[in-house]
Amino acid sequence: MSILKRQLNALAAVTEGVFVPKSWTDGADTPVVRRELGHLKDPLSYKVKKYFLGIPLNRHTLSSQRLSKKNAFGVLSSDCISSSAYGGEQILVALIPAFGLAAFTIFPPMIGIIIVMLIAITLLYRDVITTYTRSGSAYLVSRENFGRVVSQVAAVELMFGYIITVAIQSAAGVAALLSTFPELNPFKVQITVLIVFTLTYVNLRGVKEAGAFFVIPSYLFMGSMLIVFIFGIYRYFAGTLPVYSQDTEGLVPIGQAQGLLSVAAMLLILKAFANGSASLTGLEAISDSVPLFKNPGHVNAKKVLILMSATLGTLIIGIAWLAKETQAIPYADGTPTVISLIAKAALGDGLIGDILFILTQTGTMLILFAGANTCFTAFPNLVNMVANDGYLPRRLTQRGHKLVFSNGVLFIAGFATLLVIVTQASITVLAAIYALSVFVGFALTGAGMTKRSIRLKLPKRKILSHSISTAIAVFTVLVLSIVKFSQGTWVVVIGTPLVVILMLKFNKQYAREQKALTIKQHQERATSIARHDVTVLVDNVDIATVGAVRYARSLKPRNLSAVHFVIDDRRAEDIKEAWAKSDALDDVTLELIDCPDRRLANSALDYAIRMTEKQDVELTLLLPRRSYSGFLGRLLHDQTAEEIAAPISQLQRVVATIVPFDVDRITSSSQLTLAAPSEVKPVAAPVARFKPIEDVMKNVEPVSHYAEEMTPIGEIQWRKRAHVQGKVTAIKSAPRGSAPILQVEVWDQTGGVTLQFLGRREIAGLEVGSQIRAEGMVGEEEGALTILNPSYELLV
């Protein structure tokens, strides 16, 4: 040890007055952790967006946006359950003008048929969720069993159904409001549109927030209707349940009793059946939204489906029974609603009855709004799936500020608003279109499941169950298409093929583009071109041109030249003189090329072809583009760069690069403003001049092979072991043709550090956004601290 001390002291004497290098590279700065850089300041539009929608969600929190069974029941079943508020009423709207008070005798058997249909379709969708555990919409079932054309029919019907659901549920909710406050009736359409806008805003704030918002209305409606049923049963057995008068002004026309076996009577019954089928709309929402459930998604979805169907059946039966016993005849203008009439009859006129009535109407109104909200959840997921398959614009797959498919939300809101305005928020008109769209989906789902059951030779009871569901749905589709054609279902019958054709055209266009961009076998190996020339196309001698030339030099071309296509001799002479006078351009040759027909794109194309006649030459054309302010800039200046670049990009071995220059920033004297980065302190203090070895050794810690304590990344020190934890923000792997190395950038609140794994190209389970804990010796690379080959642990 004494020999070592003498040698070190001698070295200190020789190098006295010389600084110790602060890194492995002489003269390098002290290595530091990675520090946060400045960011663009938020523009006003983004600040407004953040104010209304809240802080944007990180995509790695997507799993936390999934719904529990309680919230899923409130969000997704409200559409189906709320159908009970107007489904039975629509049956009476068709029966009473045809059969008079005898309609109340026909009413219970029709409700019985609706319940049988409910059971059959529920069993069908239960099997769908079991089979297609990721998402079991009619679209997916049709795609797997019938191919792309039939699946697009299913997609269109589902989209129609969801759009109409928003319109009809919002209109029905407003009708419940108007039943309590009739003086608002002149503003029916405006209030309905306002509700659609409100639902849009709530859903843009995120699925989880929308779910929490609409859980209460679902349970409020069910609780208030349970109270209505209890009061109704009590008053029925007490003999105090009132019966409504037939002479009240504003009721639908009351017809005369007639036989049921005539053709006319059968058509009227089928019309009533078509109206009543609206009671079953919304059953598919659960299977369409399996990805929104917390794991295990399909198990939780099946439980919610069964609970939803049982609740719906109870409500349909209870409301129908009270409507029959009180002879609640619907009003011609839709308000008061039948559900408000039976609630008033069951609850009575006292103070408690009035309070409970308002509570019931509030619950009815909110559940209907919640039913409309269901579609804001299911529709974006559906169009995301269809767009990923290439049948709708890809922008519908983009998640927005709050991790919802914002474009899908705006899509359904826009069309639903248009539908409300066109139909003047009429429930009767909307119900027929709504039911047809939904039952086409039921029919395709049932047919797909039947085909699958036969193909896989499943038990006969499964095949029979699916066949019955299919037959019921197909029969309903035929009835709705024929009986209600003139009352609105023509929109679905005629519109579906047109939209399907459009979607197939989208897919064909995407397929052509994909084929053009697919790497061919002879293109798989990118070869280097021996001779790379760069030409700057010049329209003026200004700072934009100088910037383009500066960029051209950085490409290190074999030949660098500039070209001006002459369309005005005097202007060309001015450019030539300005070029000769510019010190920044004195090493670049300017070539003037005649363009007699003033077609710059053609001249540029001819030039590019001439310059790349030899197969070993690659040409880059740089086009300075001056960016001007908004509308005025586009009015005063042309877009020549884009017009030239488009045809040139089709040539082989020619690249047209537009070099933008922001003129508007200079004319407005504005500067690019950056948000100040958070300060990160240097983590390694500079080493002082050499001291005697005894003084140095006093502060040296024993070398440890493991750092037990967790250290904030901002406090780790060079050449010491560190135990850190943070989020993976970047992963960089070496190319296949070089030695394997993996670099992982990890950050916490105090700074960032690179983990370097030699001999590896990947780590199973490691992805951007995941959390990692690592321990190892801290080194440096190019002035940044690096932990080489650390031991690590991936955190869930």
Side-chain angles (χ1 to χ4, degrees), residues 564-569 572 592-604 606-607 610:
H564 172 69
F565 295 110
V566 181
I567 58 177
D568 184 319
D569 293 321
L592 303 179
I593 298 178
D594 189 24
C595 182
D597 59 359
R598 296 169 301 285
R599 297 169 67 188
L600 293 176
N602 278 6
S603 296
D606 293 341
Y607 173 81
R610 187 170 69 251

Side-chain angles (χ1 to χ4, degrees), residues 440-501:
V440 170
F442 289 168
L444 292 175
T445 302
M449 292 299 291
T450 302
K451 182 179 179 181
R452 181 182 180 278
S453 301
I454 295 172
R455 186 178 71 248
L456 298 180
K457 298 180 180 179
L458 297 181
K460 290 184 178 179
R461 61 180 179 82
K462 288 282 186 185
I463 298 175
L464 179 62
S465 173
H466 297 159
S467 300
I468 291 172
S469 301
T470 305
I472 290 172
V474 169
F475 174 76
T476 308
V477 167
L478 293 174
V479 171
L480 286 165
S481 300
I482 297 170
V483 175
K484 289 282 188 174
F485 185 84
S486 62
Q487 298 178 29
T489 58
W490 63 268
V491 173
V492 177
V493 175
I494 298 175
T496 298
L498 297 178
V499 178
V500 168
I501 291 171

Side-chain angles (χ1 to χ4, degrees), residues 394-654:
R394 289 277 163 77
R395 62 179 60 233
L396 292 171
T397 66
Q398 298 169 358
R399 292 188 183 273
H401 197 74
K402 286 289 192 174
L403 296 180
V404 297
F405 298 110
S406 302
N407 290 327
V409 171
L410 296 174
F411 186 105
I412 189 173
F415 278 95
T417 301
L418 180 64
L419 203 57
V420 167
I421 295 171
V422 170
T423 63
Q424 291 295 292
S426 171
I427 299 173
T428 304
V429 174
L430 291 168
I433 312 173
Y434 180 28
L436 178 57
S437 299
V438 171
F439 271 90
V440 170
F442 289 168
L444 292 175
T445 302
M449 292 299 291
T450 302
K451 182 179 179 181
R452 181 182 180 278
S453 301
I454 295 172
R455 186 178 71 248
L456 298 180
K457 298 180 180 179
L458 297 181
K460 290 184 178 179
R461 61 180 179 82
K462 288 282 186 185
I463 298 175
L464 179 62
S465 173
H466 297 159
S467 300
I468 291 172
S469 301
T470 305
I472 290 172
V474 169
F475 174 76
T476 308
V477 167
L478 293 174
V479 171
L480 286 165
S481 300
I482 297 170
V483 175
K484 289 282 188 174
F485 185 84
S486 62
Q487 298 178 29
T489 58
W490 63 268
V491 173
V492 177
V493 175
I494 298 175
T496 298
L498 297 178
V499 178
V500 168
I501 291 171
L502 182 63
M503 292 170 68
L504 292 175
K505 282 188 176 295
F506 286 159
N507 183 254
K508 191 174 181 180
Q509 178 64 22
Y510 276 130
R512 280 200 300 264
E513 294 170 357
Q514 185 61 39
K515 184 178 180 180
L517 294 172
T518 301
I519 301 174
K520 310 297 189 297
Q521 188 172 3
H522 66 277
Q523 298 170 328
E524 287 202 352
R525 185 67 179 173
T527 56
S528 298
I529 301 295
R531 300 165 63 187
H532 178 214
D533 297 338
V534 176
T535 298
V536 180
L537 301 188
V538 177
D539 183 51
N540 205 344
V541 180
D542 55 16
I543 191 171
T545 302
V546 171
V549 170
R550 185 184 300 118
Y551 172 65
R553 291 193 185 104
S554 70
L555 298 177
K556 295 181 171 47
R558 182 180 66 99
N559 291 322
L560 171 58
S561 58
V563 167
H564 172 69
F565 295 110
V566 181
I567 58 177
D568 184 319
D569 293 321
R570 179 173 293 181
R571 179 177 174 80
E573 194 64 30
D574 292 342
I575 289 175
K576 182 179 177 181
E577 291 179 8
W579 193 275
K581 292 178 181 178
S582 175
D583 293 335
L585 306 171
D586 57 3
D587 60 336
V588 181
T589 301
L590 174 65
E591 182 179 0
L592 303 179
I593 298 178
D594 189 24
C595 182
D597 59 359
R598 296 169 301 285
R599 297 169 67 188
L600 293 176
N602 278 6
S603 296
L605 192 68
D606 293 341
Y607 173 81
I609 294 173
R610 187 170 69 251
M611 296 301 294
T612 55
E613 286 179 339
K614 295 183 178 180
Q615 295 297 313
D616 63 342
V617 174
E618 184 178 55
L619 175 67
T620 296
L621 290 179
L622 298 184
L623 295 89
R625 183 183 66 184
R626 299 151 185 87
S627 301
Y628 300 94
S629 61
F631 173 75
L632 187 60
R634 288 192 294 272
L635 179 66
L636 298 178
H637 304 278
D638 58 25
Q639 303 293 318
T640 309
E642 285 81 358
E643 295 172 4
I644 295 175
I648 287 177
S649 63
Q650 301 177 37
L651 298 175
Q652 292 188 355
R653 294 178 289 108
V654 180

Side-chain angles (χ1 to χ4, degrees), residues 326-398:
T326 60
Q327 295 194 357
I329 300 174
Y331 280 72
D333 63 356
T335 54
T337 60
V338 167
I339 196 170
S340 69
L341 293 174
I342 65 168
K344 191 67 176 174
L347 298 172
D349 296 325
L351 176 61
I352 295 177
D354 289 342
I355 294 173
L356 291 176
F357 174 74
I358 293 175
L359 182 67
T360 302
Q361 288 302 99
T362 302
T364 304
M365 177 185 68
L366 293 180
I367 188 69
L368 287 161
F369 294 157
N373 177 74
T374 300
C375 302
F376 282 95
T377 304
F379 180 89
N381 282 288
L382 170 69
V383 294
N384 166 60
M385 198 183 333
V386 178
N388 273 317
D389 288 343
Y391 294 96
L392 284 174
R394 289 277 163 77
R395 62 179 60 233
L396 292 171
T397 66
Q398 298 169 358

Side-chain angles (χ1 to χ4, degrees), residues 720-740:
K720 291 189 178 182
R721 300 191 74 85
H723 197 175
V724 299
Q725 177 179 327
K727 185 175 76 171
V728 177
T729 60
I731 300 175
K732 180 180 179 182
S733 180
R736 188 174 61 181
S738 62

